[in-house]
Amino acid sequence: MHVKPSDWRFAATTLEVAFRSVAGESTRDWFTLADHLGQPSRALAHEIYENLKELKELDPRSKAAGHILGQMDELAFPDMLQNFRETTSQDEPRPTDIREGWCHVLWSHNMPDRALVGAVHGTPLEVVSVLNRWTPGTCYGVLAAWHVEDPDWAAAQIVRTFGQPLDQLGLMPVPASGGLPRMKLLTENAIWKTIVKSPWHVEAAEPSHDDVACADQHGAVEPTR
């Protein structure tokens, strides 16, 4: 991290918030942020977030800071930052589109009591774009998304799990009264065999309910605009 000592804490805090957002899937348009970072898993993003939270309190020239940076190097943290830089460069941005397919949970402000669950070829943002064109003035957003190897199989499992047909965009409205954690649990149970691991996947503990709740307090889900 090439930053001035005077900017150390600000830079570390900014990165901490970014990885907390990916780990908690709780802030506005977290999917796009994760996409630019190279799709780190929630567990991996949470581990990096914990390291950054500790790192910002240390002297950047200290041995302790060097130790944490070494750990983060093993977690592919520098590669993720480079991936973000390349995909957001104003001169030659590198596309991040992954074509295999995604399973996702979408939200719409005109259906606060329902969420849209589906699996399609392409990305959730493409589905959101189509929905926004079809219904001008209505905002949709991505609540959760999982990269899947076989979206057709995943869609069939969702139909079997929820017992309803999908519409022409591969979406199914389901009650949101149970909350996002329940929705995600059902969806992950339906598609777990086909979820693709992140490029920098590591075996790490998933964030605890307390950690995710803390992340939610710092940024409520909002629709993509």
Side-chain angles (χ1 to χ4, degrees):
M1 294 173 63
H2 302 289
V3 297
K4 297 178 181 178
S6 60
D7 296 332
W8 173 260
R9 179 166 293 186
F10 174 78
T13 300
T14 300
L15 293 170
E16 174 198 354
V17 171
F19 280 91
R20 184 183 65 201
S21 299
V22 176
E25 297 177 354
S26 60
T27 61
R28 181 176 182 270
D29 200 8
W30 68 267
F31 170 81
T32 301
L33 174 60
D35 198 33
H36 285 309
L37 288 171
Q39 294 298 338
S41 65
R42 293 180 66 232
L44 179 54
H46 185 263
E47 189 166 352
I48 292 174
Y49 152 66
E50 290 289 351
N51 279 303
L52 286 166
K53 186 168 64 172
E54 183 178 354
L55 187 64
K56 73 177 183 181
E57 303 301 331
L58 300 174
D59 184 324
R61 294 155 294 199
S62 67
K63 182 179 294 186
H67 176 68
I68 292 177
L69 287 172
Q71 289 181 317
M72 294 174 68
D73 188 58
E74 295 178 0
L75 296 174
F77 173 69
D79 295 330
M80 293 179 198
L81 295 187
Q82 181 62 28
N83 194 85
F84 185 91
R85 183 176 181 177
E86 292 175 358
T87 58
T88 58
S89 168
Q90 292 184 358
D91 296 329
E92 295 182 13
R94 181 168 60 79
T96 62
D97 188 29
I98 301 175
R99 300 306 311 171
E100 288 89 341
W102 289 81
C103 177
H104 48 252
V105 180
L106 307 180
W107 175 92
S108 170
H109 81 265
N110 70 340
M111 291 191 300
D113 59 337
R114 289 181 175 270
L116 299 172
V117 180
V120 297
H121 295 270
T123 71
L125 294 183
E126 291 173 330
V127 178
V128 167
S129 177
V130 172
L131 287 169
N132 285 334
R133 289 200 305 269
W134 284 6
T135 54
T138 300
C139 293
Y140 293 86
V142 182
L143 289 180
W146 300 269
H147 184 199
V148 294
E149 294 176 343
D150 188 345
D152 294 328
W153 186 89
Q157 299 308 304
I158 292 172
V159 169
R160 185 173 65 85
T161 299
F162 290 97
Q164 301 178 49
L166 301 175
D167 65 16
Q168 57 183 314
L169 281 180
L171 297 171
M172 175 192 301
V174 296
S177 56
L180 181 58
R182 180 172 175 270
M183 192 73 63
K184 289 172 60 177
L185 179 62
L186 289 172
T187 308
E188 288 175 334
N189 283 344
I191 65 168
W192 68 272
K193 287 185 178 180
T194 191
I195 292 178
V196 178
K197 293 181 178 179
S198 65
W200 298 298
H201 179 82
V202 295
E203 294 297 335
E206 281 286 336
S208 69
H209 292 300
D210 291 339
D211 290 326
V212 174
C214 177
D216 287 335
Q217 291 176 359
H218 287 79
V221 175
E222 297 180 12
T224 304
R225 297 193 184 278

